[in-house]
Amino acid sequence: MAPNNGGVWKSVDYGRTWNPIFDSQPSGSIGALAIAPSDPNIVYVGSGEGLRRPDLSTGDGMYRSNDGGKTWAHQGLRDSQQIAAVAVDPRDPNRLYVAVLGHPYGPNAERGVYRSTDGGASYQKVLGAGGDVGAVSVTLDPNHPGVVYAALWASRNGPWNLVRIYERYDRSGLYKSVDGGTTWTRLRRGLPAAVGRIGISVAKGDSNRVYAIVEKPDFECGVYRSDDAGASWLQTDHEQRVCERTNDFAGITADPQDRDTVYSANTSMYRSTDAGKTWIGIKGAPGGDDYHTVWIDPTNPNTILLGVDQGATLSTDHGKTWSSWYNQPTAQFYHVITDDRFPYRVFGAQQESGSAEVWSRGNDGAITFREFHPVGVDEYGYVAPDPLHPWLIYGGKVTVYDERTGQTRDVSPTYDRHGYRFDRTNPLVWNRVDKRTLYLGLNVVFATRDGGSHWQRISPDLTRPNPGEPATLAHFTPDDPLNGKHRGVIYSLAPSYVDAKLLWAGTDDGLVWVTRDGGAHWRNVTPPGVGPWSRVTQIDASHFDRASAYLSVSRQRLDDPQPIIYRTRDGGASWQRIVAGIPQTEPVNTVREDGKRRGLLFAGTEITAYVSFDDGAHWRSLQANLPPTSIRDLVVHGDDLVVGTHGRSFWILDDIEPLREAVRAGAATRLFAPERAYRVRFNTNPDTPLPPEEPVGQNPPDGAIIDYTLEPAFTGTVRIAIVDAAGHTVRSYASTDVAPPIDPEIDVPAYWLRPPAIPSAAPGDHRFVWDLHEAAPHSFFGGYPIAAIIHDTPHLPQGVLALPGRYTVRLSVGAQAWTQPLDIVLDPRVTTSAAALRAQHNLGVRIVQGMNASYALAQRAGQRHAGAGATRYRRVNEQLAVLLDLCQQSDNAPTAVIQQTAFRLLADLVGHGRHGVELRATDEP
């Protein structure tokens, strides 16, 4: 499946699990996917989602894989931007047809139907009608692949809030070729004279039976059937429920075996068994799930795969039951924000799936469905958690969700959609200094200080009075019902981090404003060159002074993909454009300043994330393992960078301290200052773990993150030691450590196991994680906890958990050493006293000493062939291991029973004259 802006995914278990297979390529926006029927290892991908939707992303042409998606090669049509369909000859995997929709916001030559006869090595344009007309569908007769049907569609998106798609119904149409695309005939008989988007399907059981779903002017539509291979057509249905919004949904698919059965994809999915006359809904939900594509197994029509806004869903029983789409992390977020709780929550609103509140760390070793909940915000709204009342979540235009009751209420400042203009994503943000004030941007700015009970308008209309129509609309202007009289909205708001009265605003029609007195007076500070319909996608006020700010601008809706970021250091009197290092084909959606290091900036483009260490003078990619997709927003939360993507959900880059130190890869050996480490239990789940197939998000690293760089010429041993305040080494590691072998008789699959922690000695940048445990005791009875996480389950017993406090990390590289302080902080949710934690730690240390002693004694007894003694000490070792687990399982002082039992076992060891266990009078309860 290929969700728009989500890359390409593959399932080999009927949709139970999905894996991304396209993340190595530079485009995540996908419009078409085709597998060669004669060779399923050959896969073609057309990039650039093939929809004229309001928040689309474009692509960069065609790709091919010869090995089922393991590797890919780019194959041309780079300027297509949007590819809507690909059809492969069922007998020849190297013969294919591509429906190129073309640029969504302007004319271009590379659009129409293209044919390749050499597997995509070259393409020939075989059907087109100029720079305004693209191809939206192409279909082959499965029995006679030289017969090709294609639909041309003249359409264009405007730069403003998308009210409608601009179309030329006189230039769109349905075409047929009987010679493999060399010549074409327009099909007219029985079809409307004026048509828009058209979807086509040929019945495999009868090549004369062809279905089409046809868009007509004035929001009308119809389902048409031909019984003579397209020579003539009959309208069989015109119900809005079956074919509404055809310029968005035009999926129609004939059953591969029964020519009278056909499916229509719309806000619900419908089936007709009488050749399109009557329809019944078989999949959908109130509010509309938005179905786009129907694929039916040609050998078994009971298997149906649907492409939906939420992902993909599969039925193997003819539509009676369906697989989940909640196992696909392809959420399309518009913005991202975090709160100040622990663990902090990440919020956003997502296309067709409502809003989401997700914990940044789950209690059970991963971020599961238990840490997810909607917060009552519409699908494309801002989310604004109340900084003073964290259980109240504001969003949209405006609602407030109360976590305590689960209820959502409307607190909008106005319902007047004639006097005020609204956008899909109106900015809603809290004042950074006066945290009681909430701002909403329409075409004016509203503010409330009482949670939305009362609102005050604090600005005039900040948009252009007459921004006009851009030249990119060209021949589509006659289709504009407003005759060019469009007005913009406020698209971004940026309260200052240092001054409660300072507020910046940017519009989607290309204006920037600032007020320094809370809205009483506004000043136009638009950078020169930011013209009408240049969308100010984001503004970020400086964390360090009142005069500096950063803003990103996108001209993508003017068919101009260049990146634009501006910086001011004088309150907007002058601006500097700062985009060096960002490719000229990546529009910028967001820019943010780090709150701790002046000059450290982050930006999100339509492809990936970028970082600048010099206040924007130079940028470099921060992609790493982030999949290529539209980065719609990002925020810095403490020491983390949080990204909201429009196609691949939320991502978090843990601990950006190395970026703050701005050391480039390949520099001299260095140990970075680690961020504070929270003493959080790895996994509190006391019961059966979730199955590995269950989708979960990844928790932050389990412990202290230690980043270091080794110079290019280094060879030798790397050692990492953790030293407490008294100078004692509590844990040490070396690059020469040898991973213990996996027990061949292990009683669980090895995929559960956590890899051993061994620091790397290779040149370059490295991240090592200390799990905050001291050295593990010697034990005869190791195992793995029921609180398990796939690929991350630690071996038991673990050592004692280190106490909160100041430690030192020492990096030894050859004969040289570097040190950095490390603070371990107690989980903020824990209220146990320091004295109780120390008592727990001290007892744990004594138990570990006892385990080590009993292990050594048992080994010695075995060597002397003293079987009874060896058995006795093994039993003590096992009992102490159980006690260690009980003692350490939560952040609490050990109970009297645990203390008494431990003291008895330890005293028994000492009483038999054995050394290695230190007991003091204070140890006895």
Side-chain angles (χ1 to χ4, degrees):
M1 67 140 180
N4 53 3
N5 244 340
V8 181
W9 297 69
K10 183 177 181 179
S11 175
V12 295
D13 53 12
Y14 285 89
R16 180 64 181 93
T17 60
W18 293 88
N19 292 296
I21 60 172
F22 200 69
D23 288 357
S24 61
Q25 302 309 305
S27 177
S29 179
I30 308 298
L33 176 66
I35 300 172
S38 60
D39 185 349
N41 285 315
I42 296 178
V43 184
Y44 292 96
V45 167
S47 66
E49 55 188 275
L51 300 174
R52 290 289 194 247
R53 55 189 293 267
D55 295 282
L56 60 84
S57 293
T58 58
D60 65 349
M62 285 291 297
Y63 293 82
R64 170 173 165 151
S65 173
N66 293 324
D67 51 17
K70 295 177 182 177
T71 60
W72 297 89
H74 189 274
Q75 292 205 303
L77 300 179
R78 193 173 291 278
D79 192 44
S80 56
Q81 288 201 3
Q82 287 192 290
I83 293 175
V86 176
V88 183
D89 189 313
R91 301 169 187 171
D92 181 356
N94 292 316
R95 186 179 185 90
L96 64 147
Y97 302 83
V98 180
V100 177
L101 193 53
H103 290 202
Y105 298 108
N108 74 306
E110 197 168 77
R111 60 171 76 211
V113 177
Y114 287 77
R115 179 182 63 198
S116 176
T117 58
D118 53 13
S122 63
Y123 287 93
Q124 175 192 7
K125 188 172 183 177
V126 294
L127 178 64
D132 291 327
V133 183
V136 70
S137 58
V138 60
T139 302
L140 307 183
D141 181 336
N143 305 305
H144 309 285
V147 176
V148 188
Y149 297 87
L152 297 184
W153 186 30
S155 62
R156 184 71 44 82
N157 280 10
W160 38 75
N161 179 28
L162 187 61
V163 178
R164 64 180 294 167
I165 298 169
Y166 296 94
E167 302 181 69
R168 289 292 301 270
Y169 299 101
D170 59 329
R171 302 189 64 186
S172 305
L174 181 59
Y175 293 80
K176 179 181 178 180
S177 172
V178 295
D179 55 9
T182 301
T183 60
W184 295 83
T185 301
R186 181 168 177 179
L187 306 179
R188 300 176 182 272
R189 187 178 175 187
L191 293 174
V195 297
R197 183 181 177 186
I198 299 176
I200 325 157
S201 183
V202 182
K204 185 178 181 182
D206 181 357
S207 294
N208 288 316
R209 174 64 57 81
V210 186
Y211 294 95
I213 189 165
V214 179
E215 179 200 2
K216 308 177 188 179
D218 302 319
F219 305 101
E220 298 294 325
C221 63
V223 177
Y224 288 79
R225 186 187 76 228
S226 174
D227 294 320
D228 50 14
S232 62
W233 296 84
L234 171 69
Q235 180 173 285
T236 61
D237 190 85
H238 59 85
E239 297 174 86
Q240 285 290 311
R241 69 185 181 108
V242 177
C243 62
E244 67 175 329
R245 290 170 54 187
T246 308
N247 56 18
D248 194 12
F249 313 108
I252 191 162
T253 304
D255 185 287
Q257 296 182 7
D258 180 3
R259 70 172 198 159
D260 289 334
T261 298
V262 61
Y263 296 83
S264 172
N266 211 282
T267 53
S268 291
M269 203 265 280
Y270 297 88
R271 177 195 288 142
S272 171
T273 57
D274 57 5
K277 298 176 184 177
T278 60
W279 299 82
I280 184 170
I282 64 170
K283 176 70 172 168
D289 288 336
D290 288 5
Y291 299 87
H292 291 275
T293 304
V294 182
W295 176 87
I296 305 172
D297 186 337
T299 64
N300 179 11
N302 287 324
T303 301
I304 307 170
L305 181 65
L306 300 181
V308 197
D309 268 4
Q310 294 87 347
T313 180
L314 178 72
S315 174
T316 58
D317 55 12
H318 206 52
K320 296 183 178 69
T321 60
W322 297 87
S323 66
S324 174
W325 53 55
Y326 286 104
N327 57 0
Q328 302 152 42
T330 55
Q332 301 169 50
F333 286 103
Y334 287 86
H335 292 280
V336 65
I337 193 68
T338 59
D339 68 6
D340 294 323
R341 289 179 284 185
F342 183 89
Y344 65 87
R345 277 65 160 173
V346 182
F347 301 88
Q350 52 185 330
Q351 178 71 30
E352 297 303 333
S353 296
S355 54
E357 172 188 346
V358 185
W359 289 32
S360 59
R361 177 194 295 270
N363 288 328
D364 299 336
I367 303 168
T368 73
F369 58 86
R370 303 177 184 113
E371 284 84 32
F372 170 91
H373 201 277
V375 290
V377 181
D378 57 29
E379 61 183 291
Y380 27 70
Y382 268 73
V383 181
D386 190 325
L388 300 178
H389 310 94
W391 59 88
L392 297 178
I393 314 299
Y394 291 79
K397 300 179 184 61
V398 178
T399 58
V400 57
Y401 169 76
D402 191 328
E403 289 184 344
R404 300 167 302 180
T405 64
Q407 297 181 7
T408 301
R409 67 187 181 103
D410 191 284
V411 293
S412 298
T414 179
Y415 303 107
D416 181 2
R417 296 215 169 217
H418 297 286
Y420 298 100
R421 292 187 299 280
F422 296 73
D423 188 64
R424 288 163 62 91
T425 54
N426 290 100
L428 182 73
V429 295
W430 290 93
N431 190 300
R432 314 289 190 189
V433 181
D434 172 16
K435 298 184 179 182
R436 290 181 173 82
T437 300
L438 178 65
Y439 300 109
L440 171 67
L442 303 178
N443 56 308
V444 302
V445 180
F446 281 94
T448 179
R449 288 181 52 81
D450 57 9
S453 294
H454 302 86
W455 292 84
Q456 178 186 4
R457 174 174 163 174
I458 65 167
S459 84
D461 190 326
L462 298 182
T463 65
R464 295 178 185 268
N466 183 22
E469 285 187 335
T472 51
L473 275 182
H475 304 104
F476 293 88
T477 53
D479 188 48
D480 186 356
L482 297 181
N483 296 314
K485 304 299 182 182
H486 291 270
R487 298 288 302 278
V489 294
I490 297 169
Y491 201 80
S492 54
L493 288 173
S496 169
Y497 291 90
V498 297
D499 185 346
K501 299 290 187 180
L502 177 59
L503 176 65
W504 300 79
T507 70
D508 70 345
D509 61 2
L511 291 178
V512 180
W513 300 81
V514 65
T515 177
R516 300 184 180 279
D517 52 16
H521 302 87
W522 290 81
R523 185 161 60 97
N524 186 337
V525 293
T526 305
V530 177
W533 301 118
S534 298
R535 184 168 46 153
V536 182
T537 54
Q538 195 62 261
I539 307 177
D540 201 29
S542 175
H543 292 73
F544 305 100
D545 63 61
R546 295 171 175 81
S548 299
Y550 307 87
L551 64 89
S552 55
V553 177
S554 174
R555 290 174 54 84
Q556 182 181 19
R557 294 188 179 189
L558 296 171
D559 201 31
D560 180 359
Q562 65 177 308
I564 304 173
I565 303 174
Y566 286 99
R567 176 191 65 211
T568 182
R569 293 170 175 163
D570 54 15
S574 64
W575 296 87
Q576 300 80 47
R577 188 164 174 176
I578 49 170
V579 294
I582 300 177
Q584 287 300 299
T585 54
E586 295 187 25
V588 182
N589 295 317
T590 182
V591 61
R592 301 286 187 184
E593 180 190 45
D594 180 45
K596 292 186 178 181
R597 198 204 114 170
R598 183 189 286 271
L600 179 61
L601 305 181
F602 300 97
T605 73
E606 277 294 289
I607 299 297
T608 192
Y610 288 84
V611 61
S612 172
F613 301 112
D614 52 13
D615 209 27
H618 304 86
W619 295 86
R620 57 195 259 185
S621 174
L622 195 59
Q623 185 159 1
N625 65 327
L626 184 68
T629 186
S630 176
I631 311 298
R632 291 298 166 91
D633 202 358
L634 52 81
V635 294
V636 179
H637 181 97
D639 296 315
D640 296 345
L641 181 65
V642 185
V643 170
T645 76
H646 198 72
R648 291 298 288 269
S649 305
F650 292 133
W651 289 71
I652 298 177
L653 178 61
D654 297 295
D655 187 10
I656 60 172
E657 185 58 35
L659 298 179
R660 290 178 175 140
E661 296 188 34
V663 177
R664 299 181 183 275
T669 298
R670 180 182 184 126
L671 173 65
F672 295 93
E675 69 172 328
R676 61 183 176 179
Y678 285 98
R679 189 179 185 266
V680 177
R681 297 287 166 170
F682 161 67
N683 192 337
T684 60
N685 179 24
D687 212 331
T688 303
L690 293 175
E693 297 79 16
E694 199 68 23
V696 297
Q698 186 178 4
N699 257 357
D702 177 30
I705 298 173
I706 301 169
D707 292 301
Y708 63 96
T709 294
L710 300 178
E711 61 187 14
F714 173 74
T715 58
T717 301
V718 171
R719 291 181 173 84
I720 294 175
I722 313 298
V723 181
D724 65 16
H728 300 132
T729 299
V730 298
R731 196 74 184 267
S732 61
Y733 304 87
S735 59
T736 54
D737 291 344
V738 178
I742 297 175
D743 184 353
E745 298 182 0
I746 186 174
D747 60 355
V748 295
Y751 57 67
W752 287 103
L753 311 189
R754 174 184 288 182
I758 300 176
S760 174
D765 300 326
H766 301 287
R767 171 159 287 186
F768 181 82
V769 177
W770 171 43
D771 64 6
L772 305 187
H773 286 271
E774 299 178 9
H778 295 294
S779 174
F780 291 106
F781 303 96
Y784 296 92
I786 193 171
I789 294 293
I790 186 171
H791 305 309
D792 198 27
T793 305
H795 187 267
L796 297 182
Q798 290 180 284
V800 176
L801 198 59
L803 284 169
R806 171 62 62 92
Y807 294 77
T808 298
V809 179
R810 184 172 64 241
L811 173 71
S812 298
V813 179
Q816 292 183 292
W818 291 259
T819 62
Q820 290 282 7
L822 168 66
D823 290 322
I824 298 179
V825 181
L826 184 64
D827 184 335
R829 298 166 295 182
V830 174
T831 58
T832 304
S833 69
L837 291 175
R838 183 160 294 280
Q840 178 191 43
H841 179 269
N842 289 345
L843 182 59
V845 170
R846 304 295 180 263
I847 293 174
V848 167
Q849 291 175 347
M851 290 183 67
N852 291 338
S854 60
Y855 187 91
L857 291 169
Q859 294 284 73
R860 250 180 269 158
Q863 293 170 359
R864 297 194 306 267
H865 305 290
T871 300
R872 175 176 175 273
Y873 290 123
R874 287 174 65 93
R875 187 183 308 116
V876 171
N877 185 270
E878 177 183 8
Q879 292 171 325
L880 287 173
V882 173
L883 280 178
L884 181 63
D885 180 59
L886 295 174
C887 176
Q888 293 284 304
Q889 68 182 179
S890 67
D891 295 314
N892 291 284
T895 66
V897 173
I898 291 174
Q899 294 181 71
Q900 290 165 0
T901 306
F903 184 79
R904 175 178 57 78
L905 291 170
L906 296 173
D908 185 54
L909 283 176
V910 175
H912 282 78
R914 311 303 180 186
H915 299 290
V917 180
E918 179 187 356
L919 286 179
R920 297 189 295 265
T922 54
D923 291 323
E924 186 174 0

